[in-house]
Amino acid sequence: VGTGDKALCTFAVAEQVEPVRIRTGVVEETGDYEFSVEQRGELAVRIDLSGRLYSHTLADVARWWQAARPVPAVPRVARMPVYSTWYSMHQHVDAADVERQAELARDLGCESIIVDDGWMTTDRSRGYGHTGAWEPAEETFPDMAGHVARVRQGGLAYLLWYALPFVGKFSDVFQRLRPYTLRDVESMNAIVVDPRYPVVREYLVEKLARAVEEWGMDGLKIDFIDQFAVEEPPEPGPEADCASVTEGVRRVFEELDRRLRRAIEQPLIEFRQPYVSPGLWPYASMVRAGDCPLSASTNRRSTVDLRLVSAT
């Protein structure tokens, strides 16, 4: 960006799903700004040297992407304040406390609540060793459908958190899904499952759709999609039906979106930084800044960055 917030050069790549390698920087010997783009197959690059306000050139890029992959209308509630249980409660959530928090959040002007990590386990030691089965913990959420109905009757839409790629090593389904490991995340006591396999996609879609179809949720917070990004994924086995991990991820969301829209017209789906690729836009109605506890300035910069390329 030059003086007066004018864009000296805005460039973008048409590819929205498959991996793209971009390098940028200043050539010290000449003072030129240089960028390079690499991808497999046909390459289409948009270059804007118009010198207009940079926000306008970025908005044009977003519209260019959207022309190739249209984005559904965003529900009104997705633009309204949302209360998340994470920073106030962390994993210490139960039905009664969530219902009390929902009442307080409604009085403050929130129109939706996201119940984050902790609903599927009574273990409070962090990590993701108990993810994957996605069953409500009996001790804390004994009647998930009834609980959701009470929150919704109080006036708030309800979204439930899922760490999509993870299957925890303490989970009942770990041995079943272990053969479809994309990578082992030892520090988190979990594996990342490989979406190139139909059996994995079917399992994930079935588990996530249940929140809307059976428990009456308005949508989902889908976390850690960036964990599918592996520099050198293992060769897929014979059960896989696509060679690319990113294509497998796209198919997960295409199948999930189709399933959810059979249950409710406009599901609320929250993604977050850093997984903000336009290839994912058709499957999300809310995109949130990455974690920035106690930093209003970081939150402001992050949300401005998101809005500059949202074209909504």
Side-chain angles (χ1 to χ4, degrees), residues 212-231:
V212 171
E213 294 172 346
E214 296 184 25
W215 301 332
M217 307 284 179
D218 297 279
L220 313 169
K221 172 186 173 179
I222 304 180
D223 211 347
F224 292 107
I225 301 173
D226 53 305
Q227 293 293 317
F228 285 120
V230 176
E231 190 74 23

Side-chain angles (χ1 to χ4, degrees), residues 19-312:
V20 176
R21 185 181 298 276
I22 296 176
R23 295 185 179 89
T24 64
V26 175
V27 181
E28 294 184 4
E29 290 78 7
T30 64
D32 294 330
Y33 186 81
E34 183 178 85
F35 70 89
S36 65
V37 180
E38 300 174 37
Q39 72 172 67
R40 293 181 180 177
E42 182 177 335
L43 174 65
V45 180
R46 176 189 173 95
I47 300 176
D48 187 334
L49 300 174
S50 64
R52 294 174 295 147
L53 192 68
Y54 80 97
S55 60
H56 293 174
T57 64
L58 292 177
D60 282 350
V61 167
R63 284 189 284 268
W64 181 57
W65 282 328
Q66 283 194 343
R69 193 177 293 273
V71 177
V74 176
R76 189 197 68 84
V77 68
R79 301 183 184 275
M80 304 307 291
V82 56
Y83 175 81
S84 172
T85 60
W86 182 246
Y87 281 116
S88 55
M89 304 173 77
H90 289 99
Q91 289 181 309
H92 299 269
V93 290
D94 61 49
D97 284 344
V98 168
E99 289 166 29
R100 282 194 290 270
Q101 292 293 307
E103 290 180 7
L104 296 170
R106 179 200 59 209
D107 293 342
L108 291 173
C110 293
E111 295 196 17
S112 59
I113 184 169
I114 297 174
V115 173
D116 210 286
D117 190 4
W119 63 269
M120 70 298 175
T121 180
T122 54
D123 182 89
R124 307 305 187 208
S125 59
R126 301 288 293 269
Y128 299 97
H130 296 276
T131 59
W134 302 120
E135 295 290 337
E138 282 290 332
E139 300 92 327
T140 50
F141 292 91
D143 176 14
M144 183 61 90
H147 159 66
V148 173
R150 289 189 291 274
V151 171
R152 296 185 76 249
Q153 287 166 6
L156 266 64
Y158 199 124
L159 291 82
L160 192 62
W161 172 90
Y162 286 86
L164 180 71
F166 294 145
V167 170
K169 296 182 179 181
F170 311 130
S171 165
D172 292 343
V173 297
F174 177 68
Q175 293 301 330
R176 172 183 163 190
L177 294 176
R178 189 177 187 179
Y180 307 103
T181 298
L182 180 64
R183 66 188 183 96
D184 190 323
V185 191
E186 188 173 344
S187 62
M188 295 184 178
N189 286 319
I191 58 171
V192 172
V193 289
D194 194 333
R196 294 176 291 183
Y197 293 91
V199 65
V200 170
R201 297 199 303 271
E202 290 166 9
Y203 178 82
L204 295 177
V205 169
E206 189 67 34
K207 284 296 181 179
L208 271 65
R210 186 182 179 198
V212 171
E213 294 172 346
E214 296 184 25
W215 301 332
M217 307 284 179
D218 297 279
L220 313 169
K221 172 186 173 179
I222 304 180
D223 211 347
F224 292 107
I225 301 173
D226 53 305
Q227 293 293 317
F228 285 120
V230 176
E231 190 74 23
E232 296 183 6
E235 285 295 319
E239 294 179 59
D241 64 354
C242 57
S244 163
V245 173
T246 50
E247 172 59 19
V249 172
R250 190 198 66 78
R251 293 186 186 188
V252 168
F253 285 107
E254 182 178 61
E255 295 161 19
L256 178 63
D257 183 71
R258 188 182 305 116
R259 178 82 172 261
L260 294 180
R261 289 182 186 278
R262 287 202 297 264
I264 52 177
E265 184 177 353
Q266 291 185 310
L268 299 173
I269 304 296
E270 192 205 73
F271 293 165
R272 62 185 300 184
Q273 292 168 328
Y275 46 92
V276 295
S277 162
L280 291 172
W281 289 356
Y283 312 115
S285 53
M286 310 162 71
V287 182
R288 188 163 62 93
D291 283 351
C292 43
L294 301 180
S295 179
S297 59
T298 300
N299 180 266
R300 179 63 175 167
R301 286 194 303 271
S302 297
T303 53
V304 167
D305 286 345
L306 287 171
R307 190 166 288 276
L308 281 169
V309 293
S310 69
T312 59

